[in-house]
């Protein structure tokens, strides 16, 4: 499993909004400058986050984006699934019930399920708030 650039940038965007929350809206150009990510690319990402209800926006001179909820209410898994979809390591686990002709005799299916469970447990165990408080990489995130 490899997290795409869009997924990594969505996480950085959400972290930036949490770090710079002063009660107002943050212009995308400011996030773009701080994160060194093209504003055009961030626009694509923020649309997905907005549709999912993760960020709110306003237009105009004081326009921009802000988190819809407190940073403790978002997990890394929540954010990644917006841009990545399923985090399943193999295609057969992307949908329930498993729609694979070989599922009943697949020797590796339990292994892939276990890996998928570990991935989900880990990304769902770390909140946006924890990432922000871990700026200096002093926390050891483990399951």
């Amino acid at each position: 499993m490899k997290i795409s650039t869009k997924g990594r940038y969505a996480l950085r965007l959400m972290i930036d909004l949490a770090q710079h929350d002063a009660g107002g809206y943050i212009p995308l150009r400011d996030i773009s400058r701080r994160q060194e990510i093209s504003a055009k690319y961030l626009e694509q990402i923020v649309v997905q986050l907005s549709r999912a209800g993760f960020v709110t926006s306003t237009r105009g001179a004081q326009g921009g984006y802000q988190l819809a909820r407190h940073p403790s209410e978002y997990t890394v898994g929540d954010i990644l699934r917006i841009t990545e979809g399923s985090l399943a390591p193999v295609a057969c686990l992307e949908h329930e019930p498993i729609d694979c002709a070989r599922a009943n005799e697949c020797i590796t299916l339990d292994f892939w399920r276990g890996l998928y469970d570990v991935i989900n447990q880990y990304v769902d165990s770390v909140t946006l708030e924890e990432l922000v408080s871990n700026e200096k990489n002093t926390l050891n995130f483990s399951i």
Side-chain angles (χ1 to χ4, degrees):
M1 180 191 79
K2 185 174 182 180
I3 302 299
S4 71
T5 301
K6 189 175 276 191
R8 294 191 324 270
Y9 287 3
L11 199 52
R12 285 172 53 187
L13 185 149
M14 294 289 285
I15 290 168
D16 192 281
L17 288 173
Q19 288 173 323
H20 297 94
D21 180 16
Y25 290 90
I26 301 169
L28 205 56
R29 69 180 176 278
D30 292 354
I31 299 167
S32 171
R33 182 179 32 79
R34 283 191 295 263
Q35 296 300 320
E36 299 178 341
I37 302 170
S38 127
K40 283 280 191 203
Y41 199 44
L42 285 177
E43 286 171 12
Q44 295 172 29
I45 295 168
V46 83
V47 165
Q48 289 181 282
L49 294 170
S50 183
R51 282 187 189 138
F54 281 36
V55 298
T56 59
S57 65
T58 189
R59 296 177 186 230
Q62 301 300 315
Y65 296 88
Q66 66 182 11
L67 296 177
R69 303 187 306 261
H70 189 271
S72 65
E73 297 179 52
Y74 301 93
T75 68
V76 172
D78 294 334
I79 298 164
L80 290 178
R81 286 183 198 96
I82 298 299
T83 56
E84 302 297 311
S86 171
L87 300 177
V90 291
C92 65
L93 294 178
E94 289 179 351
H95 306 285
E96 284 289 332
I98 294 174
D99 184 26
C100 174
R102 293 189 37 78
N104 290 334
E105 65 245 8
C106 181
I107 294 172
T108 59
L109 184 58
D110 286 339
F111 170 79
W112 296 124
R113 277 189 180 133
L115 179 58
Y116 190 30
D117 289 346
V118 169
I119 290 167
N120 283 316
Q121 280 180 324
Y122 185 66
V123 298
D124 291 336
S125 74
V126 180
T127 67
L128 184 60
E129 181 177 55
E130 289 170 324
L131 286 179
V132 170
S133 68
N134 189 37
E135 285 181 65
K136 305 276 191 277
N137 294 316
T138 57
L139 298 178
N140 180 17
F141 295 114
S142 62
I143 51 173

mmCIF file with all atom_site columns, all heavy atoms in Angstrom, residues 54-68:
data_model
loop_
_atom_site.group_PDB
_atom_site.id
_atom_site.type_symbol
_atom_site.label_atom_id
_atom_site.label_alt_id
_atom_site.label_comp_id
_atom_site.label_asym_id
_atom_site.label_entity_id
_atom_site.label_seq_id
_atom_site.pdbx_PDB_ins_code
_atom_site.Cartn_x
_atom_site.Cartn_y
_atom_site.Cartn_z
_atom_site.occupancy
_atom_site.B_iso_or_equiv
_atom_site.pdbx_formal_charge
_atom_site.auth_seq_id
_atom_site.auth_comp_id
_atom_site.auth_asym_id
_atom_site.auth_atom_id
_atom_site.pdbx_PDB_model_num
ATOM 1   N N   . PHE A 1 54 ? -15.296 18.031 6.398  1.00 0.00 ? 54 PHE A N   1
ATOM 2   C CA  . PHE A 1 54 ? -14.110 18.157 7.246  1.00 0.00 ? 54 PHE A CA  1
ATOM 3   C C   . PHE A 1 54 ? -13.653 19.597 7.399  1.00 0.00 ? 54 PHE A C   1
ATOM 4   O O   . PHE A 1 54 ? -13.013 19.941 8.388  1.00 0.00 ? 54 PHE A O   1
ATOM 5   C CB  . PHE A 1 54 ? -12.965 17.313 6.690  1.00 0.00 ? 54 PHE A CB  1
ATOM 6   C CG  . PHE A 1 54 ? -13.089 15.849 7.002  1.00 0.00 ? 54 PHE A CG  1
ATOM 7   C CD1 . PHE A 1 54 ? -14.316 15.208 7.035  1.00 0.00 ? 54 PHE A CD1 1
ATOM 8   C CD2 . PHE A 1 54 ? -11.968 15.095 7.261  1.00 0.00 ? 54 PHE A CD2 1
ATOM 9   C CE1 . PHE A 1 54 ? -14.429 13.859 7.323  1.00 0.00 ? 54 PHE A CE1 1
ATOM 10  C CE2 . PHE A 1 54 ? -12.061 13.743 7.551  1.00 0.00 ? 54 PHE A CE2 1
ATOM 11  C CZ  . PHE A 1 54 ? -13.293 13.123 7.580  1.00 0.00 ? 54 PHE A CZ  1
ATOM 12  N N   . VAL A 1 55 ? -13.923 20.425 6.398  1.00 0.00 ? 55 VAL A N   1
ATOM 13  C CA  . VAL A 1 55 ? -13.555 21.841 6.455  1.00 0.00 ? 55 VAL A CA  1
ATOM 14  C C   . VAL A 1 55 ? -14.759 22.673 6.034  1.00 0.00 ? 55 VAL A C   1
ATOM 15  O O   . VAL A 1 55 ? -15.635 22.195 5.315  1.00 0.00 ? 55 VAL A O   1
ATOM 16  C CB  . VAL A 1 55 ? -12.335 22.192 5.556  1.00 0.00 ? 55 VAL A CB  1
ATOM 17  C CG1 . VAL A 1 55 ? -11.090 21.447 6.006  1.00 0.00 ? 55 VAL A CG1 1
ATOM 18  C CG2 . VAL A 1 55 ? -12.619 21.943 4.091  1.00 0.00 ? 55 VAL A CG2 1
ATOM 19  N N   . THR A 1 56 ? -14.784 23.915 6.506  1.00 0.00 ? 56 THR A N   1
ATOM 20  C CA  . THR A 1 56 ? -15.789 24.870 6.068  1.00 0.00 ? 56 THR A CA  1
ATOM 21  C C   . THR A 1 56 ? -15.057 26.012 5.383  1.00 0.00 ? 56 THR A C   1
ATOM 22  O O   . THR A 1 56 ? -13.858 26.223 5.618  1.00 0.00 ? 56 THR A O   1
ATOM 23  C CB  . THR A 1 56 ? -16.628 25.410 7.246  1.00 0.00 ? 56 THR A CB  1
ATOM 24  O OG1 . THR A 1 56 ? -15.752 26.046 8.178  1.00 0.00 ? 56 THR A OG1 1
ATOM 25  C CG2 . THR A 1 56 ? -17.389 24.290 7.922  1.00 0.00 ? 56 THR A CG2 1
ATOM 26  N N   . SER A 1 57 ? -15.783 26.738 4.556  1.00 0.00 ? 57 SER A N   1
ATOM 27  C CA  . SER A 1 57 ? -15.141 27.821 3.808  1.00 0.00 ? 57 SER A CA  1
ATOM 28  C C   . SER A 1 57 ? -16.043 29.036 3.744  1.00 0.00 ? 57 SER A C   1
ATOM 29  O O   . SER A 1 57 ? -17.251 28.957 3.984  1.00 0.00 ? 57 SER A O   1
ATOM 30  C CB  . SER A 1 57 ? -14.816 27.353 2.389  1.00 0.00 ? 57 SER A CB  1
ATOM 31  O OG  . SER A 1 57 ? -16.006 27.071 1.676  1.00 0.00 ? 57 SER A OG  1
ATOM 32  N N   . THR A 1 58 ? -15.425 30.140 3.436  1.00 0.00 ? 58 THR A N   1
ATOM 33  C CA  . THR A 1 58 ? -16.142 31.383 3.179  1.00 0.00 ? 58 THR A CA  1
ATOM 34  C C   . THR A 1 58 ? -15.391 32.129 2.092  1.00 0.00 ? 58 THR A C   1
ATOM 35  O O   . THR A 1 58 ? -14.165 31.985 1.957  1.00 0.00 ? 58 THR A O   1
ATOM 36  C CB  . THR A 1 58 ? -16.303 32.238 4.455  1.00 0.00 ? 58 THR A CB  1
ATOM 37  O OG1 . THR A 1 58 ? -17.183 33.319 4.179  1.00 0.00 ? 58 THR A OG1 1
ATOM 38  C CG2 . THR A 1 58 ? -14.983 32.755 4.965  1.00 0.00 ? 58 THR A CG2 1
ATOM 39  N N   . ARG A 1 59 ? -16.135 32.891 1.310  1.00 0.00 ? 59 ARG A N   1
ATOM 40  C CA  . ARG A 1 59 ? -15.523 33.665 0.224  1.00 0.00 ? 59 ARG A CA  1
ATOM 41  C C   . ARG A 1 59 ? -15.316 35.102 0.646  1.00 0.00 ? 59 ARG A C   1
ATOM 42  O O   . ARG A 1 59 ? -15.814 35.544 1.672  1.00 0.00 ? 59 ARG A O   1
ATOM 43  C CB  . ARG A 1 59 ? -16.439 33.618 -1.011 1.00 0.00 ? 59 ARG A CB  1
ATOM 44  C CG  . ARG A 1 59 ? -16.605 32.239 -1.565 1.00 0.00 ? 59 ARG A CG  1
ATOM 45  C CD  . ARG A 1 59 ? -17.576 32.263 -2.720 1.00 0.00 ? 59 ARG A CD  1
ATOM 46  N NE  . ARG A 1 59 ? -17.849 30.910 -3.167 1.00 0.00 ? 59 ARG A NE  1
ATOM 47  C CZ  . ARG A 1 59 ? -17.784 30.514 -4.409 1.00 0.00 ? 59 ARG A CZ  1
ATOM 48  N NH1 . ARG A 1 59 ? -17.478 31.365 -5.363 1.00 0.00 ? 59 ARG A NH1 1
ATOM 49  N NH2 . ARG A 1 59 ? -18.032 29.274 -4.737 1.00 0.00 ? 59 ARG A NH2 1
ATOM 50  N N   . GLY A 1 60 ? -14.572 35.826 -0.175 1.00 0.00 ? 60 GLY A N   1
ATOM 51  C CA  . GLY A 1 60 ? -14.387 37.250 0.069  1.00 0.00 ? 60 GLY A CA  1
ATOM 52  C C   . GLY A 1 60 ? -13.015 37.571 0.607  1.00 0.00 ? 60 GLY A C   1
ATOM 53  O O   . GLY A 1 60 ? -12.139 36.707 0.689  1.00 0.00 ? 60 GLY A O   1
ATOM 54  N N   . ALA A 1 61 ? -12.849 38.845 0.982  1.00 0.00 ? 61 ALA A N   1
ATOM 55  C CA  . ALA A 1 61 ? -11.546 39.336 1.442  1.00 0.00 ? 61 ALA A CA  1
ATOM 56  C C   . ALA A 1 61 ? -11.041 38.579 2.661  1.00 0.00 ? 61 ALA A C   1
ATOM 57  O O   . ALA A 1 61 ? -9.842  38.356 2.808  1.00 0.00 ? 61 ALA A O   1
ATOM 58  C CB  . ALA A 1 61 ? -11.636 40.829 1.745  1.00 0.00 ? 61 ALA A CB  1
ATOM 59  N N   . GLN A 1 62 ? -11.941 38.196 3.546  1.00 0.00 ? 62 GLN A N   1
ATOM 60  C CA  . GLN A 1 62 ? -11.553 37.451 4.744  1.00 0.00 ? 62 GLN A CA  1
ATOM 61  C C   . GLN A 1 62 ? -11.815 35.958 4.565  1.00 0.00 ? 62 GLN A C   1
ATOM 62  O O   . GLN A 1 62 ? -11.917 35.221 5.539  1.00 0.00 ? 62 GLN A O   1
ATOM 63  C CB  . GLN A 1 62 ? -12.330 37.971 5.961  1.00 0.00 ? 62 GLN A CB  1
ATOM 64  C CG  . GLN A 1 62 ? -12.127 39.440 6.242  1.00 0.00 ? 62 GLN A CG  1
ATOM 65  C CD  . GLN A 1 62 ? -10.677 39.793 6.508  1.00 0.00 ? 62 GLN A CD  1
ATOM 66  O OE1 . GLN A 1 62 ? -9.995  39.093 7.253  1.00 0.00 ? 62 GLN A OE1 1
ATOM 67  N NE2 . GLN A 1 62 ? -10.193 40.851 5.884  1.00 0.00 ? 62 GLN A NE2 1
ATOM 68  N N   . GLY A 1 63 ? -11.913 35.544 3.326  1.00 0.00 ? 63 GLY A N   1
ATOM 69  C CA  . GLY A 1 63 ? -12.264 34.162 3.009  1.00 0.00 ? 63 GLY A CA  1
ATOM 70  C C   . GLY A 1 63 ? -11.133 33.191 3.240  1.00 0.00 ? 63 GLY A C   1
ATOM 71  O O   . GLY A 1 63 ? -9.977  33.557 3.432  1.00 0.00 ? 63 GLY A O   1
ATOM 72  N N   . GLY A 1 64 ? -11.504 31.924 3.213  1.00 0.00 ? 64 GLY A N   1
ATOM 73  C CA  . GLY A 1 64 ? -10.524 30.870 3.397  1.00 0.00 ? 64 GLY A CA  1
ATOM 74  C C   . GLY A 1 64 ? -11.206 29.632 3.947  1.00 0.00 ? 64 GLY A C   1
ATOM 75  O O   . GLY A 1 64 ? -12.408 29.426 3.746  1.00 0.00 ? 64 GLY A O   1
ATOM 76  N N   . TYR A 1 65 ? -10.428 28.843 4.663  1.00 0.00 ? 65 TYR A N   1
ATOM 77  C CA  . TYR A 1 65 ? -10.900 27.555 5.173  1.00 0.00 ? 65 TYR A CA  1
ATOM 78  C C   . TYR A 1 65 ? -10.581 27.430 6.656  1.00 0.00 ? 65 TYR A C   1
ATOM 79  O O   . TYR A 1 65 ? -9.625  28.027 7.160  1.00 0.00 ? 65 TYR A O   1
ATOM 80  C CB  . TYR A 1 65 ? -10.228 26.416 4.402  1.00 0.00 ? 65 TYR A CB  1
ATOM 81  C CG  . TYR A 1 65 ? -10.620 26.418 2.951  1.00 0.00 ? 65 TYR A CG  1
ATOM 82  C CD1 . TYR A 1 65 ? -9.902  27.160 2.023  1.00 0.00 ? 65 TYR A CD1 1
ATOM 83  C CD2 . TYR A 1 65 ? -11.740 25.722 2.515  1.00 0.00 ? 65 TYR A CD2 1
ATOM 84  C CE1 . TYR A 1 65 ? -10.287 27.192 0.687  1.00 0.00 ? 65 TYR A CE1 1
ATOM 85  C CE2 . TYR A 1 65 ? -12.129 25.743 1.187  1.00 0.00 ? 65 TYR A CE2 1
ATOM 86  C CZ  . TYR A 1 65 ? -11.398 26.481 0.282  1.00 0.00 ? 65 TYR A CZ  1
ATOM 87  O OH  . TYR A 1 65 ? -11.794 26.522 -1.034 1.00 0.00 ? 65 TYR A OH  1
ATOM 88  N N   . GLN A 1 66 ? -11.381 26.612 7.316  1.00 0.00 ? 66 GLN A N   1
ATOM 89  C CA  . GLN A 1 66 ? -11.106 26.249 8.701  1.00 0.00 ? 66 GLN A CA  1
ATOM 90  C C   . GLN A 1 66 ? -11.654 24.853 8.943  1.00 0.00 ? 66 GLN A C   1
ATOM 91  O O   . GLN A 1 66 ? -12.490 24.361 8.186  1.00 0.00 ? 66 GLN A O   1
ATOM 92  C CB  . GLN A 1 66 ? -11.695 27.256 9.689  1.00 0.00 ? 66 GLN A CB  1
ATOM 93  C CG  . GLN A 1 66 ? -13.199 27.310 9.720  1.00 0.00 ? 66 GLN A CG  1
ATOM 94  C CD  . GLN A 1 66 ? -13.707 28.369 10.707 1.00 0.00 ? 66 GLN A CD  1
ATOM 95  O OE1 . GLN A 1 66 ? -12.946 29.193 11.212 1.00 0.00 ? 66 GLN A OE1 1
ATOM 96  N NE2 . GLN A 1 66 ? -14.988 28.332 10.986 1.00 0.00 ? 66 GLN A NE2 1
ATOM 97  N N   . LEU A 1 67 ? -11.151 24.229 9.990  1.00 0.00 ? 67 LEU A N   1
ATOM 98  C CA  . LEU A 1 67 ? -11.636 22.900 10.345 1.00 0.00 ? 67 LEU A CA  1
ATOM 99  C C   . LEU A 1 67 ? -13.096 23.000 10.783 1.00 0.00 ? 67 LEU A C   1
ATOM 100 O O   . LEU A 1 67 ? -13.483 23.953 11.458 1.00 0.00 ? 67 LEU A O   1
ATOM 101 C CB  . LEU A 1 67 ? -10.802 22.306 11.486 1.00 0.00 ? 67 LEU A CB  1
ATOM 102 C CG  . LEU A 1 67 ? -9.331  22.035 11.191 1.00 0.00 ? 67 LEU A CG  1
ATOM 103 C CD1 . LEU A 1 67 ? -8.633  21.522 12.446 1.00 0.00 ? 67 LEU A CD1 1
ATOM 104 C CD2 . LEU A 1 67 ? -9.175  21.056 10.050 1.00 0.00 ? 67 LEU A CD2 1
ATOM 105 N N   . ALA A 1 68 ? -13.878 22.011 10.417 1.00 0.00 ? 68 ALA A N   1
ATOM 106 C CA  . ALA A 1 68 ? -15.286 21.982 10.808 1.00 0.00 ? 68 ALA A CA  1
ATOM 107 C C   . ALA A 1 68 ? -15.451 21.498 12.252 1.00 0.00 ? 68 ALA A C   1
ATOM 108 O O   . ALA A 1 68 ? -16.462 21.780 12.890 1.00 0.00 ? 68 ALA A O   1
ATOM 109 C CB  . ALA A 1 68 ? -16.077 21.086 9.860  1.00 0.00 ? 68 ALA A CB  1
#
